Amino acid sequence: MKFARFKRNEELFLGVVEDNKIYKLQTNPDSFEKFLEIAVVEAKASVEEKNLEEVELSDVVLLSPIPTPSQIICQGVNYSIHRQETGMDDQKPPFNMIFSKAPSSVCGPNDAIIRPDNVKLLDYEIELGLVIRKPITHDTVITEDNFLDYIAGLVLTNDISARDVQLTQLQWLKGKSYRTFCPVGPYFYLLEKEDVAKIADLKLELRVNGEIRQEASTDQLLYKPIETLNELAQIMDLQAGDLVLTGTPGGVAMQLSADEMNCMTSLVSKFGEKVEVIQRQHTLGNYLKDGDIIEATIASTDGSIDLGKQQNVVKTLQSISV
């Protein structure tokens, strides 16, 4: 079952998506916990009775299907090819790289990505997002048997990144948290028991102006979801509606050699050395430019899980205000 949040005539609604149509629910909970308690129950009953108002997807503005989460926790360099292209060993590392994005970075699946004036190296990162069902705390142990007790469903996300901020300042939170830097949706896919095994069989694809840049399968994840969630449980609490982004595959715009990565992550490298690395990045051709169109999809190979399609255009604040 897929859900979408949408705007029509300036009003916000929640609906169930079937066959490229949205069936509008009567309820529109303001929290994810209430969504699970009320909306899912209503949706299952109403879809069976076929008594919901039918809305064309083309007639609405799709929003992020998850109300703004309290936390967005991310995994870094969690695919071998992405590790290679950033100057790292392609083997599974001895530790899981964890960072976060500000909740205010969330935007809709078709919203514009707003590039700040100071950001010249704007990058894309398609990622599978896990949506937390109920609190994960220090005594939580997640297994294959209880996975659905803690993970409600899946969403398509894009970890937009300002590499010049991330690399020169060693500020991951800062470089990844500008407003609009986390498109989410269009759909929230509610997981059922038979879907769990398919999480390892999802195809990720991202295009820029029609050209495939990223293409991979979730079976290539180095740290799998259960392993990561159990690690996070030992560090922090997660709440219903929080997002865990599982990492991006190879094909991003940023390309670093091992020496360049060592330079950029070193606390003792001279600023001039870092400037040289950034200058080389400016000579690469795949960083996002104003007017570029990013298209992203995630679906299972058998088509039973389809998280929909994002289409975001890159704009500047000046072009938005004109």
Side-chain angles (χ1 to χ4, degrees), residues 92-146:
K92 181 178 178 179
F95 57 86
N96 207 337
M97 182 180 288
I98 302 295
F99 60 95
S100 64
K101 291 173 77 79
S104 56
S105 66
V106 170
C107 70
N110 299 313
D111 289 349
I113 304 299
I114 309 303
R115 181 183 63 79
D117 290 340
N118 63 302
V119 175
K120 308 303 180 185
L121 299 177
L122 189 65
D123 211 345
Y124 47 83
E125 292 191 9
I126 185 174
E127 305 202 15
L128 173 68
L130 309 176
V131 186
I132 303 301
R133 178 186 292 274
K134 70 177 185 180
I136 293 176
T137 61
H138 72 281
D139 58 353
T140 300
V141 177
I142 299 174
T143 66
E144 291 184 6
D145 292 335
N146 70 5

Side-chain angles (χ1 to χ4, degrees), residues 82-258:
H82 183 45
R83 293 182 64 81
Q84 287 178 348
E85 68 188 0
T86 53
M88 298 183 182
D89 186 342
D90 63 359
Q91 300 301 305
K92 181 178 178 179
F95 57 86
N96 207 337
M97 182 180 288
I98 302 295
F99 60 95
S100 64
K101 291 173 77 79
S104 56
S105 66
V106 170
C107 70
N110 299 313
D111 289 349
I113 304 299
I114 309 303
R115 181 183 63 79
D117 290 340
N118 63 302
V119 175
K120 308 303 180 185
L121 299 177
L122 189 65
D123 211 345
Y124 47 83
E125 292 191 9
I126 185 174
E127 305 202 15
L128 173 68
L130 309 176
V131 186
I132 303 301
R133 178 186 292 274
K134 70 177 185 180
I136 293 176
T137 61
H138 72 281
D139 58 353
T140 300
V141 177
I142 299 174
T143 66
E144 291 184 6
D145 292 335
N146 70 5
F147 184 79
L148 288 184
D149 292 342
Y150 294 95
I151 301 300
L154 311 174
V155 288
L156 165 60
T157 68
N158 193 345
D159 176 21
I160 302 294
S161 304
R163 300 299 192 193
D164 29 10
V165 175
Q166 178 189 355
L167 292 175
T168 56
Q169 300 181 25
L170 286 184
Q171 295 271 6
W172 287 55
L173 176 65
K174 198 171 173 182
K176 291 170 173 284
S177 290
Y178 289 94
R179 295 172 184 86
T180 74
F181 273 27
C182 190
V184 179
Y187 308 135
F188 164 71
Y189 184 91
L190 183 68
L191 285 169
E192 302 290 349
K193 186 174 182 180
E194 62 270 18
D195 297 321
V196 175
K198 298 177 185 177
I199 295 176
D201 187 32
L202 300 176
K203 179 183 178 182
L204 295 78
E205 183 178 286
L206 182 141
R207 297 171 182 258
V208 177
N209 301 327
E211 175 192 1
I212 293 180
R213 297 284 182 86
Q214 293 184 281
E215 192 173 21
S217 171
T218 49
D219 67 356
Q220 300 165 3
L221 286 168
L222 297 176
Y223 279 90
K224 310 299 184 184
I226 290 178
E227 189 175 6
T228 297
L229 292 167
N230 280 317
E231 180 179 352
L232 290 174
Q234 301 306 307
I235 302 168
M236 61 191 298
D237 292 347
L238 295 171
Q239 305 300 326
D242 284 350
L243 292 179
V244 175
L245 277 54
T246 56
T248 198
V252 300
M254 179 178 65
Q255 303 288 315
L256 295 171
S257 68

Side-chain angles (χ1 to χ4, degrees), residues 13-84:
F13 300 99
L14 177 68
V16 182
V17 180
E18 280 191 358
D19 300 325
N20 294 317
K21 296 183 185 296
I22 301 178
Y23 296 89
K24 184 169 74 70
L25 299 176
Q26 297 300 314
T27 184
N28 187 14
D30 57 2
S31 75
F32 191 72
E33 290 170 306
K34 290 181 180 178
F35 164 77
L36 292 174
E37 292 173 3
I38 302 170
V40 171
V41 175
E42 178 194 339
K44 289 183 176 180
S46 299
V47 168
E48 290 176 1
E49 296 172 8
K50 303 293 183 183
N51 62 354
L52 298 176
E53 178 186 348
E54 185 179 301
V55 181
E56 296 289 339
L57 278 169
S58 58
D59 293 338
V60 304
V61 175
L62 292 169
L63 310 173
S64 166
I66 306 300
T68 304
S70 60
Q71 297 182 102
I72 305 173
I73 307 301
C74 310
Q75 288 178 261
V77 286
N78 199 28
Y79 287 80
S80 291
I81 295 178
H82 183 45
R83 293 182 64 81
Q84 287 178 348

